[in-house]
Amino acid sequence: MNNSEQLLRRLPNDIGGLPADAIDRTEHALEPWEKRCHALADVLDFHKIINTEEKRRGVEALGAEMIGKLTYYERWIATFANILFQKGILTPSDLARKMDEIEART
Amino acid sequence: MPDHHHDHTHDHPHAEISQTERPGYYEIMETAVRELLIEKRLIGANEIRRQIEVLDSRTPALGAKVVARAWVDPAFRSRLLANGRAACEELGLSFYDDTGLIVLENTDTVHNLIVCTLCSCYPRPVLGLPPDWYKLKPYRARAVSEPRAVLAEFGTIIPDDVQIRVSDSTAMVRFLVLPRRPEGTEDYTEEQLTDLVTRDAMIGVVPVTLAAERTAP
């Protein structure tokens, strides 16, 4: 038995039943950009561009390290970008250019 | 609770606080993705604004209305348990996505708890967005294997002769708990009952109690 087998048996999202810490019940109100990100997810779903299950699998495809280090909506927006690249809807250069443009104007 | 979070002495500059005016990397990415999709006419700018309004309009008060109606109207309760979504729509509560809703009734022999072990699926049209703890590992990991310990952390002790059923949500099927109507509410109006029902009771982590009353008597 090799420990790496566990990696195949359980993808990063598949945590049901694992031991874990006590529940921290602190709650935070969504940042405006987080709420926009949520609305974007819903609109992408309405237009059948990215559905909920594609989004979940896309988050999983970020891998355990990113899942651990990014916040919830950081994972979502990174996932949307990846899926839009995969579907040929956006290119990484489109996004990089647009991000530079936004950075310059803010 | 250990208070180690309060121990550090703030001898370092908090650059991230003084720079809150400037959007962070992921916020810029969100703006960029949204603007690119609007430029390509794949989505409309108004659609995002409208969906933010929809999200803001969804709160646990909607679910509470559904629960109180089920408590006072046995025929509605039967329809709700048979088809959660159709019964909610009867009350004018629209579903903005294509998810199904299964309503799980707590009784003196069964206590229901909902979770999404894989991510964060939640009955958003009737409860709004989930609390942070619902989306984080400790609840997702432990709710299915040690629900009694999880419930105890919320101060909820379920007698050993009451079965606990944990339902794991999916992208297409969401759950809502129909809590037990508290004793001593026989004379309450439907509106008074609505005020007793909390978000956490509809997730199944706490019962509905008279102490939880949201509005002054």
PDB file of all heavy atoms in Angstrom, chain A residues 13 17 20-21 23 27-28 30 35-36 38 42 46-47 72 98 105-106, chain B residues 22 30 34-35 39 47 51 56 96 118 120 132 138 140-142 153 199:
ATOM      1  N   ASN A  13     -11.774  18.063  -3.496  1.00  0.00           N
ATOM      2  CA  ASN A  13     -13.086  18.458  -2.952  1.00  0.00           C
ATOM      3  C   ASN A  13     -13.740  17.363  -2.121  1.00  0.00           C
ATOM      4  O   ASN A  13     -14.709  17.622  -1.413  1.00  0.00           O
ATOM      5  CB  ASN A  13     -14.069  18.781  -4.097  1.00  0.00           C
ATOM      6  CG  ASN A  13     -13.835  20.149  -4.697  1.00  0.00           C
ATOM      7  OD1 ASN A  13     -12.962  20.876  -4.254  1.00  0.00           O
ATOM      8  ND2 ASN A  13     -14.615  20.491  -5.707  1.00  0.00           N
ATOM      9  N   GLY A  17     -16.375  13.007   5.566  1.00  0.00           N
ATOM     10  CA  GLY A  17     -15.957  11.914   6.421  1.00  0.00           C
ATOM     11  C   GLY A  17     -14.533  12.000   6.920  1.00  0.00           C
ATOM     12  O   GLY A  17     -14.119  11.218   7.778  1.00  0.00           O
ATOM     13  N   ALA A  20     -11.428  16.514  10.885  1.00  0.00           N
ATOM     14  CA  ALA A  20     -11.191  17.947  10.678  1.00  0.00           C
ATOM     15  C   ALA A  20     -11.362  18.678  12.000  1.00  0.00           C
ATOM     16  O   ALA A  20     -11.840  18.117  12.983  1.00  0.00           O
ATOM     17  CB  ALA A  20     -12.153  18.498   9.625  1.00  0.00           C
ATOM     18  N   ASP A  21     -10.976  19.948  11.975  1.00  0.00           N
ATOM     19  CA  ASP A  21     -10.999  20.785  13.176  1.00  0.00           C
ATOM     20  C   ASP A  21     -12.421  21.089  13.638  1.00  0.00           C
ATOM     21  O   ASP A  21     -13.390  20.808  12.951  1.00  0.00           O
ATOM     22  CB  ASP A  21     -10.326  22.125  12.872  1.00  0.00           C
ATOM     23  CG  ASP A  21      -8.858  21.960  12.549  1.00  0.00           C
ATOM     24  OD1 ASP A  21      -8.282  20.928  12.944  1.00  0.00           O
ATOM     25  OD2 ASP A  21      -8.299  22.866  11.891  1.00  0.00           O
ATOM     26  N   ILE A  23     -15.598  23.526  14.301  1.00  0.00           N
ATOM     27  CA  ILE A  23     -16.210  24.473  13.371  1.00  0.00           C
ATOM     28  C   ILE A  23     -16.042  25.907  13.894  1.00  0.00           C
ATOM     29  O   ILE A  23     -16.363  26.186  15.047  1.00  0.00           O
ATOM     30  CB  ILE A  23     -17.700  24.124  13.186  1.00  0.00           C
ATOM     31  CG1 ILE A  23     -17.798  22.766  12.474  1.00  0.00           C
ATOM     32  CG2 ILE A  23     -18.450  25.208  12.407  1.00  0.00           C
ATOM     33  CD1 ILE A  23     -19.096  22.054  12.676  1.00  0.00           C
ATOM     34  N   GLU A  27     -18.606  34.619  10.644  1.00  0.00           N
ATOM     35  CA  GLU A  27     -19.134  34.855   9.301  1.00  0.00           C
ATOM     36  C   GLU A  27     -18.675  36.222   8.807  1.00  0.00           C
ATOM     37  O   GLU A  27     -18.443  37.119   9.602  1.00  0.00           O
ATOM     38  CB  GLU A  27     -20.667  34.800   9.320  1.00  0.00           C
ATOM     39  CG  GLU A  27     -21.163  33.417   9.729  1.00  0.00           C
ATOM     40  CD  GLU A  27     -22.671  33.276   9.681  1.00  0.00           C
ATOM     41  OE1 GLU A  27     -23.305  33.956   8.861  1.00  0.00           O
ATOM     42  OE2 GLU A  27     -23.204  32.485  10.480  1.00  0.00           O
ATOM     43  N   HIS A  28     -18.516  36.362   7.493  1.00  0.00           N
ATOM     44  CA  HIS A  28     -18.165  37.677   6.949  1.00  0.00           C
ATOM     45  C   HIS A  28     -19.160  38.050   5.855  1.00  0.00           C
ATOM     46  O   HIS A  28     -19.686  37.179   5.163  1.00  0.00           O
ATOM     47  CB  HIS A  28     -16.721  37.692   6.432  1.00  0.00           C
ATOM     48  CG  HIS A  28     -16.546  37.271   5.004  1.00  0.00           C
ATOM     49  ND1 HIS A  28     -16.726  35.970   4.572  1.00  0.00           N
ATOM     50  CD2 HIS A  28     -16.231  37.976   3.894  1.00  0.00           C
ATOM     51  CE1 HIS A  28     -16.516  35.901   3.272  1.00  0.00           C
ATOM     52  NE2 HIS A  28     -16.223  37.107   2.818  1.00  0.00           N
ATOM     53  N   LEU A  30     -20.119  39.465   2.284  1.00  0.00           N
ATOM     54  CA  LEU A  30     -19.372  39.407   1.035  1.00  0.00           C
ATOM     55  C   LEU A  30     -18.850  40.780   0.659  1.00  0.00           C
ATOM     56  O   LEU A  30     -19.543  41.783   0.794  1.00  0.00           O
ATOM     57  CB  LEU A  30     -20.263  38.904  -0.105  1.00  0.00           C
ATOM     58  CG  LEU A  30     -20.750  37.468  -0.058  1.00  0.00           C
ATOM     59  CD1 LEU A  30     -21.279  37.050  -1.430  1.00  0.00           C
ATOM     60  CD2 LEU A  30     -19.664  36.519   0.382  1.00  0.00           C
ATOM     61  N   LYS A  35     -19.577  39.468  -4.344  1.00  0.00           N
ATOM     62  CA  LYS A  35     -20.977  39.366  -4.751  1.00  0.00           C
ATOM     63  C   LYS A  35     -21.100  39.438  -6.278  1.00  0.00           C
ATOM     64  O   LYS A  35     -21.872  38.708  -6.884  1.00  0.00           O
ATOM     65  CB  LYS A  35     -21.803  40.466  -4.079  1.00  0.00           C
ATOM     66  CG  LYS A  35     -23.288  40.179  -4.159  1.00  0.00           C
ATOM     67  CD  LYS A  35     -24.114  41.214  -3.433  1.00  0.00           C
ATOM     68  CE  LYS A  35     -24.175  40.926  -1.944  1.00  0.00           C
ATOM     69  NZ  LYS A  35     -25.014  41.931  -1.266  1.00  0.00           N
ATOM     70  N   ARG A  36     -20.290  40.317  -6.899  1.00  0.00           N
ATOM     71  CA  ARG A  36     -20.309  40.378  -8.370  1.00  0.00           C
ATOM     72  C   ARG A  36     -19.856  39.043  -8.967  1.00  0.00           C
ATOM     73  O   ARG A  36     -20.388  38.580  -9.978  1.00  0.00           O
ATOM     74  CB  ARG A  36     -19.384  41.497  -8.877  1.00  0.00           C
ATOM     75  CG  ARG A  36     -19.884  42.906  -8.610  1.00  0.00           C
ATOM     76  CD  ARG A  36     -19.166  43.918  -9.506  1.00  0.00           C
ATOM     77  NE  ARG A  36     -17.723  43.932  -9.323  1.00  0.00           N
ATOM     78  CZ  ARG A  36     -17.073  44.658  -8.396  1.00  0.00           C
ATOM     79  NH1 ARG A  36     -17.730  45.454  -7.574  1.00  0.00           N
ATOM     80  NH2 ARG A  36     -15.755  44.602  -8.300  1.00  0.00           N
ATOM     81  N   HIS A  38     -20.248  36.152  -7.604  1.00  0.00           N
ATOM     82  CA  HIS A  38     -21.344  35.196  -7.458  1.00  0.00           C
ATOM     83  C   HIS A  38     -22.404  35.420  -8.535  1.00  0.00           C
ATOM     84  O   HIS A  38     -22.913  34.474  -9.147  1.00  0.00           O
ATOM     85  CB  HIS A  38     -21.976  35.306  -6.062  1.00  0.00           C
ATOM     86  CG  HIS A  38     -22.764  34.093  -5.710  1.00  0.00           C
ATOM     87  ND1 HIS A  38     -22.337  33.155  -4.814  1.00  0.00           N
ATOM     88  CD2 HIS A  38     -23.932  33.644  -6.211  1.00  0.00           C
ATOM     89  CE1 HIS A  38     -23.221  32.172  -4.762  1.00  0.00           C
ATOM     90  NE2 HIS A  38     -24.205  32.446  -5.602  1.00  0.00           N
ATOM     91  N   ASP A  42     -23.826  32.919 -11.630  1.00  0.00           N
ATOM     92  CA  ASP A  42     -25.227  32.631 -11.951  1.00  0.00           C
ATOM     93  C   ASP A  42     -25.526  32.968 -13.413  1.00  0.00           C
ATOM     94  O   ASP A  42     -26.184  32.200 -14.114  1.00  0.00           O
ATOM     95  CB  ASP A  42     -26.161  33.424 -11.020  1.00  0.00           C
ATOM     96  CG  ASP A  42     -26.135  32.887  -9.589  1.00  0.00           C
ATOM     97  OD1 ASP A  42     -25.779  31.711  -9.399  1.00  0.00           O
ATOM     98  OD2 ASP A  42     -26.475  33.650  -8.664  1.00  0.00           O
ATOM     99  N   PHE A  46     -26.913  30.695 -16.392  1.00  0.00           N
ATOM    100  CA  PHE A  46     -28.138  30.962 -17.176  1.00  0.00           C
ATOM    101  C   PHE A  46     -27.865  30.827 -18.672  1.00  0.00           C
ATOM    102  O   PHE A  46     -28.705  30.344 -19.425  1.00  0.00           O
ATOM    103  CB  PHE A  46     -28.670  32.391 -16.931  1.00  0.00           C
ATOM    104  CG  PHE A  46     -29.018  32.693 -15.504  1.00  0.00           C
ATOM    105  CD1 PHE A  46     -29.043  34.015 -15.050  1.00  0.00           C
ATOM    106  CD2 PHE A  46     -29.336  31.685 -14.595  1.00  0.00           C
ATOM    107  CE1 PHE A  46     -29.363  34.313 -13.724  1.00  0.00           C
ATOM    108  CE2 PHE A  46     -29.648  31.978 -13.270  1.00  0.00           C
ATOM    109  CZ  PHE A  46     -29.656  33.304 -12.840  1.00  0.00           C
ATOM    110  N   HIS A  47     -26.706  31.318 -19.110  1.00  0.00           N
ATOM    111  CA  HIS A  47     -26.382  31.294 -20.540  1.00  0.00           C
ATOM    112  C   HIS A  47     -25.736  29.980 -20.980  1.00  0.00           C
ATOM    113  O   HIS A  47     -25.245  29.886 -22.106  1.00  0.00           O
ATOM    114  CB  HIS A  47     -25.441  32.456 -20.885  1.00  0.00           C
ATOM    115  CG  HIS A  47     -26.129  33.785 -20.908  1.00  0.00           C
ATOM    116  ND1 HIS A  47     -26.950  34.170 -21.942  1.00  0.00           N
ATOM    117  CD2 HIS A  47     -26.151  34.799 -20.006  1.00  0.00           C
ATOM    118  CE1 HIS A  47     -27.430  35.382 -21.679  1.00  0.00           C
ATOM    119  NE2 HIS A  47     -26.965  35.786 -20.513  1.00  0.00           N
ATOM    120  N   TYR A  72     -12.556  31.427  -1.198  1.00  0.00           N
ATOM    121  CA  TYR A  72     -13.670  30.837  -1.944  1.00  0.00           C
ATOM    122  C   TYR A  72     -13.883  31.507  -3.309  1.00  0.00           C
ATOM    123  O   TYR A  72     -13.899  30.837  -4.342  1.00  0.00           O
ATOM    124  CB  TYR A  72     -14.913  30.977  -1.069  1.00  0.00           C
ATOM    125  CG  TYR A  72     -16.165  30.302  -1.567  1.00  0.00           C
ATOM    126  CD1 TYR A  72     -16.340  28.929  -1.439  1.00  0.00           C
ATOM    127  CD2 TYR A  72     -17.203  31.055  -2.115  1.00  0.00           C
ATOM    128  CE1 TYR A  72     -17.501  28.320  -1.861  1.00  0.00           C
ATOM    129  CE2 TYR A  72     -18.368  30.451  -2.532  1.00  0.00           C
ATOM    130  CZ  TYR A  72     -18.518  29.081  -2.403  1.00  0.00           C
ATOM    131  OH  TYR A  72     -19.681  28.498  -2.815  1.00  0.00           O
ATOM    132  N   LYS A  98      -6.468  42.853 -20.543  1.00  0.00           N
ATOM    133  CA  LYS A  98      -7.585  43.520 -19.862  1.00  0.00           C
ATOM    134  C   LYS A  98      -7.219  43.822 -18.410  1.00  0.00           C
ATOM    135  O   LYS A  98      -7.535  44.892 -17.891  1.00  0.00           O
ATOM    136  CB  LYS A  98      -8.819  42.618 -19.944  1.00  0.00           C
ATOM    137  CG  LYS A  98     -10.096  43.278 -19.504  1.00  0.00           C
ATOM    138  CD  LYS A  98     -10.373  44.525 -20.322  1.00  0.00           C
ATOM    139  CE  LYS A  98     -11.818  44.733 -20.635  1.00  0.00           C
ATOM    140  NZ  LYS A  98     -12.031  45.998 -21.370  1.00  0.00           N
ATOM    141  N   ARG A 105      -6.134  51.965 -14.950  1.00  0.00           N
ATOM    142  CA  ARG A 105      -7.164  52.995 -14.805  1.00  0.00           C
ATOM    143  C   ARG A 105      -7.676  53.127 -13.371  1.00  0.00           C
ATOM    144  O   ARG A 105      -8.461  54.018 -13.079  1.00  0.00           O
ATOM    145  CB  ARG A 105      -8.322  52.734 -15.779  1.00  0.00           C
ATOM    146  CG  ARG A 105      -9.290  51.669 -15.305  1.00  0.00           C
ATOM    147  CD  ARG A 105     -10.426  51.424 -16.264  1.00  0.00           C
ATOM    148  NE  ARG A 105     -11.347  50.485 -15.650  1.00  0.00           N
ATOM    149  CZ  ARG A 105     -11.970  49.498 -16.295  1.00  0.00           C
ATOM    150  NH1 ARG A 105     -11.815  49.334 -17.576  1.00  0.00           N
ATOM    151  NH2 ARG A 105     -12.776  48.690 -15.641  1.00  0.00           N
ATOM    152  N   THR A 106      -7.293  52.220 -12.480  1.00  0.00           N
ATOM    153  CA  THR A 106      -7.802  52.308 -11.099  1.00  0.00           C
ATOM    154  C   THR A 106      -6.785  52.951 -10.163  1.00  0.00           C
ATOM    155  O   THR A 106      -5.612  53.005 -10.453  1.00  0.00           O
ATOM    156  CB  THR A 106      -8.205  50.928 -10.527  1.00  0.00           C
ATOM    157  OG1 THR A 106      -7.146  50.021 -10.771  1.00  0.00           O
ATOM    158  CG2 THR A 106      -9.477  50.441 -11.161  1.00  0.00           C
TER     159      THR A 106
ATOM    160  N   ARG B  22      -7.376  50.415  -3.520  1.00  0.00           N
ATOM    161  CA  ARG B  22      -6.958  49.755  -4.765  1.00  0.00           C
ATOM    162  C   ARG B  22      -7.465  48.320  -4.784  1.00  0.00           C
ATOM    163  O   ARG B  22      -7.305  47.580  -3.840  1.00  0.00           O
ATOM    164  CB  ARG B  22      -5.433  49.769  -4.858  1.00  0.00           C
ATOM    165  CG  ARG B  22      -4.874  51.156  -5.074  1.00  0.00           C
ATOM    166  CD  ARG B  22      -3.392  51.118  -5.402  1.00  0.00           C
ATOM    167  NE  ARG B  22      -3.127  50.475  -6.680  1.00  0.00           N
ATOM    168  CZ  ARG B  22      -3.352  51.049  -7.856  1.00  0.00           C
ATOM    169  NH1 ARG B  22      -3.870  52.257  -7.904  1.00  0.00           N
ATOM    170  NH2 ARG B  22      -3.082  50.421  -8.977  1.00  0.00           N
ATOM    171  N   GLU B  30     -11.750  39.551 -11.735  1.00  0.00           N
ATOM    172  CA  GLU B  30     -13.225  39.479 -11.845  1.00  0.00           C
ATOM    173  C   GLU B  30     -13.735  40.562 -12.792  1.00  0.00           C
ATOM    174  O   GLU B  30     -14.566  40.303 -13.678  1.00  0.00           O
ATOM    175  CB  GLU B  30     -13.843  39.610 -10.442  1.00  0.00           C
ATOM    176  CG  GLU B  30     -15.366  39.549 -10.391  1.00  0.00           C
ATOM    177  CD  GLU B  30     -16.031  40.892 -10.649  1.00  0.00           C
ATOM    178  OE1 GLU B  30     -15.459  41.938 -10.267  1.00  0.00           O
ATOM    179  OE2 GLU B  30     -17.115  40.909 -11.261  1.00  0.00           O
ATOM    180  N   ARG B  34     -15.493  39.798 -16.490  1.00  0.00           N
ATOM    181  CA  ARG B  34     -16.845  40.327 -16.713  1.00  0.00           C
ATOM    182  C   ARG B  34     -16.859  41.275 -17.917  1.00  0.00           C
ATOM    183  O   ARG B  34     -17.702  41.151 -18.813  1.00  0.00           O
ATOM    184  CB  ARG B  34     -17.320  41.043 -15.438  1.00  0.00           C
ATOM    185  CG  ARG B  34     -18.645  41.752 -15.544  1.00  0.00           C
ATOM    186  CD  ARG B  34     -19.185  42.137 -14.159  1.00  0.00           C
ATOM    187  NE  ARG B  34     -18.145  42.613 -13.252  1.00  0.00           N
ATOM    188  CZ  ARG B  34     -17.720  43.878 -13.176  1.00  0.00           C
ATOM    189  NH1 ARG B  34     -18.264  44.803 -13.944  1.00  0.00           N
ATOM    190  NH2 ARG B  34     -16.759  44.221 -12.327  1.00  0.00           N
ATOM    191  N   GLU B  35     -15.897  42.212 -17.949  1.00  0.00           N
ATOM    192  CA  GLU B  35     -15.889  43.185 -19.055  1.00  0.00           C
ATOM    193  C   GLU B  35     -15.632  42.512 -20.395  1.00  0.00           C
ATOM    194  O   GLU B  35     -16.241  42.874 -21.408  1.00  0.00           O
ATOM    195  CB  GLU B  35     -14.848  44.286 -18.783  1.00  0.00           C
ATOM    196  CG  GLU B  35     -15.285  45.203 -17.644  1.00  0.00           C
ATOM    197  CD  GLU B  35     -14.356  46.399 -17.447  1.00  0.00           C
ATOM    198  OE1 GLU B  35     -13.404  46.559 -18.239  1.00  0.00           O
ATOM    199  OE2 GLU B  35     -14.592  47.165 -16.496  1.00  0.00           O
ATOM    200  N   GLU B  39     -18.075  42.689 -23.535  1.00  0.00           N
ATOM    201  CA  GLU B  39     -17.606  43.175 -24.843  1.00  0.00           C
ATOM    202  C   GLU B  39     -17.900  42.171 -25.952  1.00  0.00           C
ATOM    203  O   GLU B  39     -18.228  42.552 -27.078  1.00  0.00           O
ATOM    204  CB  GLU B  39     -16.085  43.430 -24.809  1.00  0.00           C
ATOM    205  CG  GLU B  39     -15.704  44.721 -24.111  1.00  0.00           C
ATOM    206  CD  GLU B  39     -14.199  44.787 -23.811  1.00  0.00           C
ATOM    207  OE1 GLU B  39     -13.414  44.057 -24.462  1.00  0.00           O
ATOM    208  OE2 GLU B  39     -13.822  45.570 -22.919  1.00  0.00           O
ATOM    209  N   GLU B  47     -27.513  42.230 -16.779  1.00  0.00           N
ATOM    210  CA  GLU B  47     -27.800  40.921 -16.184  1.00  0.00           C
ATOM    211  C   GLU B  47     -27.062  40.744 -14.860  1.00  0.00           C
ATOM    212  O   GLU B  47     -27.593  40.163 -13.910  1.00  0.00           O
ATOM    213  CB  GLU B  47     -27.354  39.813 -17.127  1.00  0.00           C
ATOM    214  CG  GLU B  47     -28.248  39.620 -18.321  1.00  0.00           C
ATOM    215  CD  GLU B  47     -27.740  38.454 -19.139  1.00  0.00           C
ATOM    216  OE1 GLU B  47     -26.710  38.607 -19.818  1.00  0.00           O
ATOM    217  OE2 GLU B  47     -28.369  37.390 -19.078  1.00  0.00           O
ATOM    218  N   GLN B  51     -28.874  40.295 -11.319  1.00  0.00           N
ATOM    219  CA  GLN B  51     -28.650  39.104 -10.503  1.00  0.00           C
ATOM    220  C   GLN B  51     -28.157  39.486  -9.105  1.00  0.00           C
ATOM    221  O   GLN B  51     -28.489  38.809  -8.136  1.00  0.00           O
ATOM    222  CB  GLN B  51     -27.667  38.146 -11.203  1.00  0.00           C
ATOM    223  CG  GLN B  51     -27.472  36.822 -10.489  1.00  0.00           C
ATOM    224  CD  GLN B  51     -28.764  36.036 -10.285  1.00  0.00           C
ATOM    225  OE1 GLN B  51     -29.756  36.255 -10.979  1.00  0.00           O
ATOM    226  NE2 GLN B  51     -28.771  35.141  -9.315  1.00  0.00           N
ATOM    227  N   ASP B  56     -29.494  39.745  -3.405  1.00  0.00           N
ATOM    228  CA  ASP B  56     -29.789  40.552  -2.220  1.00  0.00           C
ATOM    229  C   ASP B  56     -31.207  40.321  -1.703  1.00  0.00           C
ATOM    230  O   ASP B  56     -31.491  40.552  -0.533  1.00  0.00           O
ATOM    231  CB  ASP B  56     -29.607  42.045  -2.537  1.00  0.00           C
ATOM    232  CG  ASP B  56     -28.136  42.441  -2.579  1.00  0.00           C
ATOM    233  OD1 ASP B  56     -27.298  41.681  -2.033  1.00  0.00           O
ATOM    234  OD2 ASP B  56     -27.820  43.502  -3.156  1.00  0.00           O
ATOM    235  N   TYR B  96     -34.429  30.942  -9.340  1.00  0.00           N
ATOM    236  CA  TYR B  96     -33.741  31.578 -10.455  1.00  0.00           C
ATOM    237  C   TYR B  96     -32.765  30.624 -11.132  1.00  0.00           C
ATOM    238  O   TYR B  96     -32.086  30.984 -12.067  1.00  0.00           O
ATOM    239  CB  TYR B  96     -33.047  32.863 -10.003  1.00  0.00           C
ATOM    240  CG  TYR B  96     -32.084  32.695  -8.848  1.00  0.00           C
ATOM    241  CD1 TYR B  96     -30.806  32.187  -9.068  1.00  0.00           C
ATOM    242  CD2 TYR B  96     -32.444  33.033  -7.554  1.00  0.00           C
ATOM    243  CE1 TYR B  96     -29.936  32.017  -8.019  1.00  0.00           C
ATOM    244  CE2 TYR B  96     -31.568  32.873  -6.502  1.00  0.00           C
ATOM    245  CZ  TYR B  96     -30.314  32.357  -6.740  1.00  0.00           C
ATOM    246  OH  TYR B  96     -29.456  32.182  -5.702  1.00  0.00           O
ATOM    247  N   LEU B 118     -18.959  18.123  -1.082  1.00  0.00           N
ATOM    248  CA  LEU B 118     -18.051  18.405  -2.194  1.00  0.00           C
ATOM    249  C   LEU B 118     -17.766  19.887  -2.375  1.00  0.00           C
ATOM    250  O   LEU B 118     -16.750  20.254  -2.958  1.00  0.00           O
ATOM    251  CB  LEU B 118     -18.620  17.848  -3.500  1.00  0.00           C
ATOM    252  CG  LEU B 118     -18.540  16.334  -3.678  1.00  0.00           C
ATOM    253  CD1 LEU B 118     -19.209  15.941  -4.986  1.00  0.00           C
ATOM    254  CD2 LEU B 118     -17.101  15.843  -3.666  1.00  0.00           C
ATOM    255  N   SER B 120     -20.388  23.604  -1.877  1.00  0.00           N
ATOM    256  CA  SER B 120     -21.190  24.555  -1.101  1.00  0.00           C
ATOM    257  C   SER B 120     -22.616  24.667  -1.633  1.00  0.00           C
ATOM    258  O   SER B 120     -23.227  25.711  -1.522  1.00  0.00           O
ATOM    259  CB  SER B 120     -20.514  25.922  -1.140  1.00  0.00           C
ATOM    260  OG  SER B 120     -20.263  26.292  -2.488  1.00  0.00           O
ATOM    261  N   ASP B 132     -20.350  31.140   6.084  1.00  0.00           N
ATOM    262  CA  ASP B 132     -18.990  30.695   5.778  1.00  0.00           C
ATOM    263  C   ASP B 132     -18.720  29.272   6.273  1.00  0.00           C
ATOM    264  O   ASP B 132     -18.099  28.482   5.567  1.00  0.00           O
ATOM    265  CB  ASP B 132     -17.965  31.655   6.406  1.00  0.00           C
ATOM    266  CG  ASP B 132     -17.916  32.985   5.656  1.00  0.00           C
ATOM    267  OD1 ASP B 132     -18.163  32.988   4.445  1.00  0.00           O
ATOM    268  OD2 ASP B 132     -17.637  34.021   6.295  1.00  0.00           O
ATOM    269  N   PRO B 138     -14.226  21.973   8.062  1.00  0.00           N
ATOM    270  CA  PRO B 138     -14.669  21.252   9.262  1.00  0.00           C
ATOM    271  C   PRO B 138     -16.130  20.774   9.192  1.00  0.00           C
ATOM    272  O   PRO B 138     -16.418  19.603   9.488  1.00  0.00           O
ATOM    273  CB  PRO B 138     -14.459  22.279  10.386  1.00  0.00           C
ATOM    274  CG  PRO B 138     -13.310  23.105   9.890  1.00  0.00           C
ATOM    275  CD  PRO B 138     -13.543  23.233   8.405  1.00  0.00           C
ATOM    276  N   ARG B 140     -18.082  20.459   6.393  1.00  0.00           N
ATOM    277  CA  ARG B 140     -18.270  19.555   5.256  1.00  0.00           C
ATOM    278  C   ARG B 140     -17.709  18.165   5.541  1.00  0.00           C
ATOM    279  O   ARG B 140     -18.303  17.150   5.178  1.00  0.00           O
ATOM    280  CB  ARG B 140     -17.597  20.130   4.005  1.00  0.00           C
ATOM    281  CG  ARG B 140     -18.308  21.349   3.438  1.00  0.00           C
ATOM    282  CD  ARG B 140     -17.437  22.079   2.431  1.00  0.00           C
ATOM    283  NE  ARG B 140     -16.871  21.167   1.436  1.00  0.00           N
ATOM    284  CZ  ARG B 140     -15.804  21.441   0.688  1.00  0.00           C
ATOM    285  NH1 ARG B 140     -15.185  22.607   0.820  1.00  0.00           N
ATOM    286  NH2 ARG B 140     -15.359  20.567  -0.178  1.00  0.00           N
ATOM    287  N   ALA B 141     -16.551  18.117   6.187  1.00  0.00           N
ATOM    288  CA  ALA B 141     -15.892  16.829   6.434  1.00  0.00           C
ATOM    289  C   ALA B 141     -16.610  16.050   7.533  1.00  0.00           C
ATOM    290  O   ALA B 141     -16.835  14.843   7.408  1.00  0.00           O
ATOM    291  CB  ALA B 141     -14.431  17.070   6.824  1.00  0.00           C
ATOM    292  N   ARG B 142     -17.002  16.743   8.608  1.00  0.00           N
ATOM    293  CA  ARG B 142     -17.451  16.024   9.803  1.00  0.00           C
ATOM    294  C   ARG B 142     -18.948  15.784   9.865  1.00  0.00           C
ATOM    295  O   ARG B 142     -19.392  14.872  10.571  1.00  0.00           O
ATOM    296  CB  ARG B 142     -16.986  16.790  11.045  1.00  0.00           C
ATOM    297  CG  ARG B 142     -15.452  16.825  11.172  1.00  0.00           C
ATOM    298  CD  ARG B 142     -15.007  17.760  12.307  1.00  0.00           C
ATOM    299  NE  ARG B 142     -15.692  17.445  13.539  1.00  0.00           N
ATOM    300  CZ  ARG B 142     -16.132  18.354  14.416  1.00  0.00           C
ATOM    301  NH1 ARG B 142     -15.923  19.633  14.201  1.00  0.00           N
ATOM    302  NH2 ARG B 142     -16.759  17.972  15.508  1.00  0.00           N
ATOM    303  N   GLU B 153     -21.522  21.066  18.862  1.00  0.00           N
ATOM    304  CA  GLU B 153     -20.783  22.340  18.761  1.00  0.00           C
ATOM    305  C   GLU B 153     -21.722  23.517  18.542  1.00  0.00           C
ATOM    306  O   GLU B 153     -21.373  24.660  18.833  1.00  0.00           O
ATOM    307  CB  GLU B 153     -19.733  22.264  17.638  1.00  0.00           C
ATOM    308  CG  GLU B 153     -18.533  21.452  18.067  1.00  0.00           C
ATOM    309  CD  GLU B 153     -17.489  21.280  16.979  1.00  0.00           C
ATOM    310  OE1 GLU B 153     -17.325  22.187  16.146  1.00  0.00           O
ATOM    311  OE2 GLU B 153     -16.835  20.213  16.980  1.00  0.00           O
ATOM    312  N   ARG B 199     -32.263  30.673  10.008  1.00  0.00           N
ATOM    313  CA  ARG B 199     -31.477  30.004   8.961  1.00  0.00           C
ATOM    314  C   ARG B 199     -30.901  28.685   9.470  1.00  0.00           C
ATOM    315  O   ARG B 199     -31.025  27.641   8.813  1.00  0.00           O
ATOM    316  CB  ARG B 199     -30.326  30.951   8.556  1.00  0.00           C
ATOM    317  CG  ARG B 199     -29.374  30.355   7.540  1.00  0.00           C
ATOM    318  CD  ARG B 199     -28.084  31.143   7.469  1.00  0.00           C
ATOM    319  NE  ARG B 199     -27.272  30.923   8.658  1.00  0.00           N
ATOM    320  CZ  ARG B 199     -26.258  31.684   9.034  1.00  0.00           C
ATOM    321  NH1 ARG B 199     -25.913  32.731   8.325  1.00  0.00           N
ATOM    322  NH2 ARG B 199     -25.567  31.402  10.124  1.00  0.00           N
TER     323      ARG B 199
END
